[in-house]
Amino acid sequence: MNPPAPNLICPECGTANPIAQVECCHCQVPLLKRYLWAIGSGLDRYTVGELLSDRYLVQGKHLLLDLLPGEPAPGVDNTSQLYRPYLRLFPKRPHVPELFGALSLPEGELLLLEHAPVSCIDIADAKVVPGLTHAAPLTAVWEKANLVRRLNWLWQIISLWPALVAENVALTLLNPQLLRAEGCLVRLLQLQAGNNPTLADLGKFWQTHFSFADQGENFQQAFTLLCQHMQDSHETSPESIRDTLETLFQQALDHLGYEYHYDIASRSDQGPSRTRNEDKCFPERDLTSQSQVLALVCDGVGGHEGGDVASGLAVHILEEALRPLKLLEMSPQAVEQAIQTAIRRTNDAINQRNDTEQRHERQRMGTTVVGALIEHAHLYLAHIGDSRAYWINRWGCYQLTLDDDVASRDVRLGMSTYHQALELPYGGSLVQALGMAASHHLHPTVERFLLDEEGILLLCSDGLSDFNRVETYWPQYLLPVLQGQLTLTAAAEQLIDLANRLNGHDNVTVVLIHCRVKNALGVIDVDYSDIVCQGELPEVTDITMSYVPPPQPSELDVTVSQIAEPPQPKLQPPKVQPSQVWLLLLIGVGITTAALGCLAVLTSMNRSLDGIESSPSPLITPNNAQ
């Protein structure tokens, strides 16, 4: 007699569902399909279909499916150097997978990674099933991508370089088996530890595995010269390489006739359980076909008097300071500095008002903020607190910001996994917000991204993002916008309704920004995994689990205000023309930018950790669960 088929347990209602079920057969909530990438030799003796620890179903050579996604994650030994790079690089999501936990088997320990770019090439029989990504090996799909996309990929790789070097895992960026692409994003399957390669090694790797020969002689010559410069010059820096790639990226946009138009829809609601709305947003009306965008969401700190005043003041000051900025006429450093200055000016204004009105501790008003500045292909994101930004394309939903809470702080300090940290009494408490302390205690995160695909940027308060509502429901509420089946305005209204029905414990605000991109050739979006799965599947070799710590580990401190509140009970979920100028320009940029100061490390998730000092006291206790 065959053993009974394994079931997937719904985390919402506890009902057992067949593995292939998309929605729970009882509560109709989309089922969480948590695929985990397993590292270690302990999995070798197990076959597809076997169950590990009565919870994890083997689905491929390194692939497990969590049948109990509502249960706590397995713990890890936070003193082990093995886990450190994953924890320290937590802010690099979605490029770097997240450490879910460790599983002890008689054959050895397995490291379990969540949000890894696993796809049909990793599952038995190359099946395309819900829960898997659309990622594919970068080298396998390189020739399927156009000029702009290729340059964006290289730009992301060099942007990741400094952070991976700091953790002795830069070898990852030279391993073709670990580099994957999903739409415009570069994603890493896992990390490879070892003695760090040099920029010369990276240049040689690029020259060996990548080419622009089919994109015209000028771009191929420029790329070849860049790779040679990386190998020959001791003055080359990641910043100068990134600047060169960004210059070529802008030329490629003009060469291929890229056009960008942005539509915006915003909605805010006090929710069914609040007496006033402490959220504020900008713009407050819908806009279409914009060439430049400024968008803000501020959430007055829950439980603090005057939260609505603080959020309103923040929106007013930030709009006044940021709206006049011309991104294409300024250097990235100047834009980032202007954003930082505007945030600190806003913080000082709210803080001074608190002092003038003699507000102390819980009486002090504060607010979170998440904001976006966009012009053409350039996106700048800034945030303080736990209001979030997500990027949604046809292939997935990616959280771009990292909450300024105790849980995230503990992960970056290497103290625990995110799942473990959220279980702590203060796990969801904010460690910083605007207006609660002087600006020298404030550490805003400002990041830069290059856009080359159609997608939706979602800014929202935690009234929507709590309980993973965005990650769960984006295919139902946002994917139809990209498919032309739903208007942006309708999507914003439906997200407000969703938050009020399923969360309902807080105010809720959403700003949706639809990035519409077209070029002279028309087709930009390509499903890379579909291309690869139709051909020969690449073999993914085992990578050693050994870890070589950096010679001088950098210190990581986190600032936490001394204003603390007692924990509260956790809620239950309810134009440049193409010409011969490329070579001259590349040489000039490669030499002159070598001395430039460090730019903010981009794309996912580069969260600045400098100058933050550790403290066990949270600033703000959440009035809702994470």
Side-chain angles (χ1 to χ4, degrees), residues 133 429 434 511:
T133 75
S429 302
L434 288 177
V511 176

Side-chain angles (χ1 to χ4, degrees), residues 36-53:
L36 300 169
W37 185 253
I39 307 174
S41 59
L43 197 58
D44 291 347
R45 66 174 293 273
Y46 295 92
T47 60
V48 172
E50 286 194 69
L51 196 61
L52 305 183
S53 301

